């Protein structure tokens, strides 16, 4: 079959270069779009357009990522773009993109209608060579950009991407200007730090006042911390600090390589206030976390059944020093408090020990049943056959979904939703089948006996163990314990143990 005849649905990818890659007009992009649409319509291909303004080196391009996701879902037969450089010329991303096309049997079509079938070695090598040339060309562009960025920094111009919270970028002057509304929040954050308020509580206060981050999200403690630590607010622009694309993927250069320009941005926080707030943060950083101050037998195991936070423990000096799990005190980003009640430590431990004893009875009974199974009926094989039948049904359903999509009987959103659900079911069944086929009756008995021995050893010795050993032994067969007891609720409290069996 001719390669072109294999194509029914194509992903059209369009990208307009930013100025730093060479100025391109909207007219250029419109010409590219017109040409690619003509190719799709001439060949009666169904298509979806993925269009964005961005760098081909940026892996976070939303439209590119959306396209990749759909390519993984098997929705398209080909990618149609002006050339490979328009899709990617990153020396790490290009091989990934090409491998995805080969793996999913997806063709690559250029605006000259050249079709690359990456299953054919000559096409693979030709496209790979094109990618190499694109990468080499882009490295030269990047070197020029880095030089220009350093020169701009030395002149006090902003070249660090999206401005920090509290600033806006004046493109004509290439300078930062103060966002009067957001700068109020910045000043409040610095003052609250100096007043001894923690960054998590500062974030809550800002959220309650209606402030949001530059992306429109709620503030977190870390976003407040970044504001306090940034020298931009005292008028300093720092460039060439990170080697790489960003803080998370890059590496911090030695300080002597940084380009620091003072009095380069409008000042929101005077230097004295900036230094004072940062010293307060330094002191708070040196304080030992409460979690390191006390260890007990149920450390990190008891979690709130409402919000999932680990319940902390305290001693009641007015009640003879008894230990108590405190009511959950977690506060969400809007300042709303969780309402899960606490419980006395010894009562909690007693409930857990009773549950462990019940679990022991259950495991013992399961072992007895496994050892006395009537071997004239092969229950394991029956279950294997049932799982295989379920796998066949789901594979058939996936095939029907693909046919329905190709015949336009269903839309893409429905296809994607149903395929995702069915694929998860299929993966789980395959895991179950493998486990069934790999596990014998003897293996099951052996595993349960090992778990039973662990519980027996614990029940014999638990009240002689110190707190650290007790915690270690419990965590060897328990993943977590949830405690659900909402204040004011008429429901009885619930304790659920998640075993590591």
């Amino acid at each position: 079959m001719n390669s072109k005849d294999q194509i029914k649905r194509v992903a059209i990818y369009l990208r307009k270069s930013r100025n730093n890659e060479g100025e391109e007009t909207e007219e250029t992009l419109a010409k590219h779009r017109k040409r690619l649409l003509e190719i799709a319509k001439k060949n009666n291909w169904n298509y979806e357009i993925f269009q964005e303004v961005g760098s081909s080196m940026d892996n976070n391009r939303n439209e590119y990522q959306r396209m990749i996701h759909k390519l993984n879902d098997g929705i398209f037969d080909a990618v149609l773009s002006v050339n490979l450089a328009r899709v990617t010329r990153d020396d790490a991303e290009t091989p990934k993109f090409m491998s995805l096309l080969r793996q999913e049997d997806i063709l690559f079509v250029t605006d000259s209608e050249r079709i690359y079938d990456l299953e054919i070695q000559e096409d693979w090598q030709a496209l790979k060579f094109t990618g190499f040339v694109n990468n080499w060309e882009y490295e030269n562009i990047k070197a020029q950009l880095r030089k220009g960025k350093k020169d701009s920094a030395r002149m006090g111009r902003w070249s660090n991407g999206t401005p920090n919270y509290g600033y806006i970028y004046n493109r004509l002057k290439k300078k930062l200007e103060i966002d009067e509304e957001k700068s109020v929040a910045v000043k409040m954050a610095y003052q609250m730090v100096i007043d001894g308020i923690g960054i998590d509580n500062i974030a809550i206060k800002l959220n309650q006042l209606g402030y949001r981050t530059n992306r429109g999200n709620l503030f977190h403690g870390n976003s407040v911390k970044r504001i306090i630590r940034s020298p931009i607010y005292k008028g300093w622009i720092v460039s060439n600090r990170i080697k790489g694309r960003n803080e998370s993927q890059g590496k911090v250069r030695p300080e002597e390589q940084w380009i620091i320009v003072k009095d380069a941005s409008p000042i929101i926080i005077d230097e004295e206030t900036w230094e004072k707030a940062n010293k307060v943060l330094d002191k708070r950083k040196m304080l030992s976390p409460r979690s390191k101050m006390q260890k007990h037998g149920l450390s990190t195991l008891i979690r709130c059944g409402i919000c999932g936070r680990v319940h902390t423990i305290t001693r009641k000096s007015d009640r003879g020093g008894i230990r108590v799990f405190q009511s959950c005190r977690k506060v969400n980003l809007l300042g709303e408090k969780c309402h899960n009640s606490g419980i006395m430590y010894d009562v909690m431990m007693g409930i857990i020990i009773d549950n462990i004893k019940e679990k022991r009875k259950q495991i013992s009974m399961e072992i007895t049943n496994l050892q006395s199974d009537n071997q004239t009926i092969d229950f394991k094989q029956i279950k294997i056959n049932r799982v295989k039948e379920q796998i066949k049904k789901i594979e058939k359903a996936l095939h029907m979904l693909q046919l329905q999509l190709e015949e336009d009987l269903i839309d893409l959103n429905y296809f994607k939703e149903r395929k995702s659900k069915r694929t998860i079911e299929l993966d789980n069944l395959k895991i179950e089948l493998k486990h069934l086929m790999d596990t014998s009756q003897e293996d099951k008995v052996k595993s349960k006996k090992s778990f039973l021995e662990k519980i027996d050893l614990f029940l014999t010795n638990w009240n002689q163990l110190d707190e650290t050993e007790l915690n270690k032994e419990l965590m060897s067969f328990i993943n977590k314990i949830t405690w659900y007891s909402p204040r004011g609720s008429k429901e009885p409290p619930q304790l659920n143990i998640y075993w590591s069996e």
Side-chain angles (χ1 to χ4, degrees), residues 258-276:
W258 298 1
I259 300 172
I260 302 175
V261 183
K262 299 182 181 181
D263 300 320
S265 64
I267 295 172
I268 295 178
I269 303 296
D270 63 81
E271 193 162 345
E272 182 182 350
T273 302
W274 191 92
E275 295 290 346
K276 192 181 293 185

Side-chain angles (χ1 to χ4, degrees), residues 229 274-284:
R229 291 300 192 190
W274 191 92
E275 295 290 346
K276 192 181 293 185
N278 275 270
K279 284 180 181 177
V280 172
L281 271 193
D282 291 338
K283 286 181 182 178
R284 292 181 72 92

Side-chain angles (χ1 to χ4, degrees), residues 15 56 63 93 119 126 152 177 194 339 424 490-491:
R15 183 182 62 83
S56 59
E63 287 296 287
E93 184 62 25
E119 282 294 319
S152 294
E177 295 176 354
I194 292 170
H339 55 282
I424 291 170
K490 295 180 181 179
E491 297 179 44

Side-chain angles (χ1 to χ4, degrees), residues 216-233:
N217 300 322
L218 294 170
F219 278 94
H220 289 72
N222 280 336
S223 44
V224 173
K225 182 180 177 182
R226 283 193 292 271
I227 289 174
I228 305 303
R229 291 300 192 190
S230 177
I232 190 76
Y233 298 104

Side-chain angles (χ1 to χ4, degrees), residues 415-450:
F415 172 81
K416 182 178 177 182
E417 179 187 338
R418 296 300 300 164
K419 182 178 180 182
S420 175
K421 184 178 179 181
R422 288 295 195 178
T423 302
I424 291 170
E425 291 176 6
L426 183 62
D427 290 343
N428 289 336
L429 284 171
K430 286 180 177 178
I431 291 170
E432 184 181 355
L433 179 62
K434 186 177 187 307
H435 180 72
L436 282 169
M437 297 183 74
D438 291 347
T439 306
S440 65
Q441 192 91 332
E442 292 75 18
D443 291 333
K444 286 183 182 179
V445 172
K446 186 177 179 181
S447 174
K448 290 187 180 295
K449 280 185 175 180
S450 175

Side-chain angles (χ1 to χ4, degrees), residues 180-220:
E180 296 299 337
E181 183 182 354
K182 291 180 178 179
S183 68
V184 174
V186 173
K187 291 174 183 176
M188 282 195 296
Y190 273 84
Q191 188 56 54
M192 283 190 277
V193 168
I194 292 170
D195 291 342
I197 300 174
I199 55 175
D200 290 330
N201 288 326
I202 294 172
I204 291 169
K205 187 63 178 175
L206 293 177
N207 293 332
Q208 289 174 336
L209 290 171
Y211 289 105
R212 296 294 182 266
T213 66
N214 284 335
R215 294 185 177 181
N217 300 322
L218 294 170
F219 278 94
H220 289 72

Side-chain angles (χ1 to χ4, degrees), residues 44-303:
N44 294 318
W45 294 338
N46 292 321
Y47 60 84
E48 182 174 351
I49 298 175
F50 301 84
Q51 179 175 310
E52 61 196 334
V53 175
S55 167
S56 59
M57 299 294 287
D58 183 0
N59 287 337
N60 296 319
R61 289 174 286 154
N62 292 333
E63 287 296 287
Y64 176 75
Q65 295 299 334
R66 191 168 71 87
M67 180 181 72
I68 292 296
H69 184 68
K70 291 197 171 187
L71 292 177
N72 276 304
D73 282 345
I75 293 173
F76 299 109
D77 305 305
V79 173
L80 174 59
S81 189
V82 175
N83 51 46
L84 183 61
R86 288 288 150 172
V87 181
T88 176
R89 45 185 173 183
D90 181 292
D91 54 1
E93 184 62 25
T94 301
K96 289 182 187 177
F97 177 71
M98 290 175 58
S99 294
L100 173 62
L101 298 187
R102 173 183 269 182
Q103 178 183 322
E104 299 295 332
D105 293 324
I106 297 170
L107 305 173
F108 186 76
V109 187
T110 68
D111 65 344
S112 64
E113 298 191 59
R114 166 73 158 94
I115 298 177
Y116 292 89
D117 181 349
L118 300 187
E119 282 294 319
I120 300 172
Q121 187 63 21
E122 290 78 7
D123 284 5
W124 171 269
Q125 290 176 340
L127 198 59
K128 188 175 182 181
F129 178 74
T130 301
F132 170 78
V133 173
N134 292 337
N135 294 337
W136 177 82
E137 178 189 30
Y138 200 79
E139 287 300 322
N140 289 334
I141 295 173
K142 282 204 300 180
Q144 294 172 19
L145 288 174
R146 283 194 293 267
K147 182 178 181 300
K149 197 171 182 180
K150 289 179 183 179
D151 292 341
S152 294
R154 291 189 179 97
M155 294 169 64
R157 292 179 176 176
W158 182 254
S159 58
N160 288 358
T162 304
N164 295 63
Y165 187 83
Y167 290 101
I168 53 177
Y169 178 59
N170 186 319
R171 294 185 177 277
L172 294 176
K173 298 179 180 179
K174 296 186 179 179
K175 295 276 188 179
L176 294 180
E177 295 176 354
I178 294 175
D179 183 318
E180 296 299 337
E181 183 182 354
K182 291 180 178 179
S183 68
V184 174
V186 173
K187 291 174 183 176
M188 282 195 296
Y190 273 84
Q191 188 56 54
M192 283 190 277
V193 168
I194 292 170
D195 291 342
I197 300 174
I199 55 175
D200 290 330
N201 288 326
I202 294 172
I204 291 169
K205 187 63 178 175
L206 293 177
N207 293 332
Q208 289 174 336
L209 290 171
Y211 289 105
R212 296 294 182 266
T213 66
N214 284 335
R215 294 185 177 181
N217 300 322
L218 294 170
F219 278 94
H220 289 72
N222 280 336
S223 44
V224 173
K225 182 180 177 182
R226 283 193 292 271
I227 289 174
I228 305 303
R229 291 300 192 190
S230 177
I232 190 76
Y233 298 104
K234 61 178 178 179
W236 294 17
I237 291 181
V238 179
S239 297
N240 205 47
R241 192 176 75 89
I242 301 294
K243 185 177 182 180
R245 292 178 187 159
N246 51 47
E247 291 273 358
S248 60
Q249 296 179 2
K251 180 180 179 182
V252 178
R253 288 188 170 96
E255 195 166 341
E256 59 269 17
Q257 294 181 17
W258 298 1
I259 300 172
I260 302 175
V261 183
K262 299 182 181 181
D263 300 320
S265 64
I267 295 172
I268 295 178
I269 303 296
D270 63 81
E271 193 162 345
E272 182 182 350
T273 302
W274 191 92
E275 295 290 346
K276 192 181 293 185
N278 275 270
K279 284 180 181 177
V280 172
L281 271 193
D282 291 338
K283 286 181 182 178
R284 292 181 72 92
K285 186 179 178 181
M286 293 170 65
L287 296 175
S288 297
R290 287 184 182 179
S291 59
K292 295 181 181 178
M293 294 171 64
Q294 58 179 355
K295 184 87 172 177
H296 56 84
L298 298 173
S299 288
T300 73
L301 276 172
I302 311 300
R303 293 184 175 272

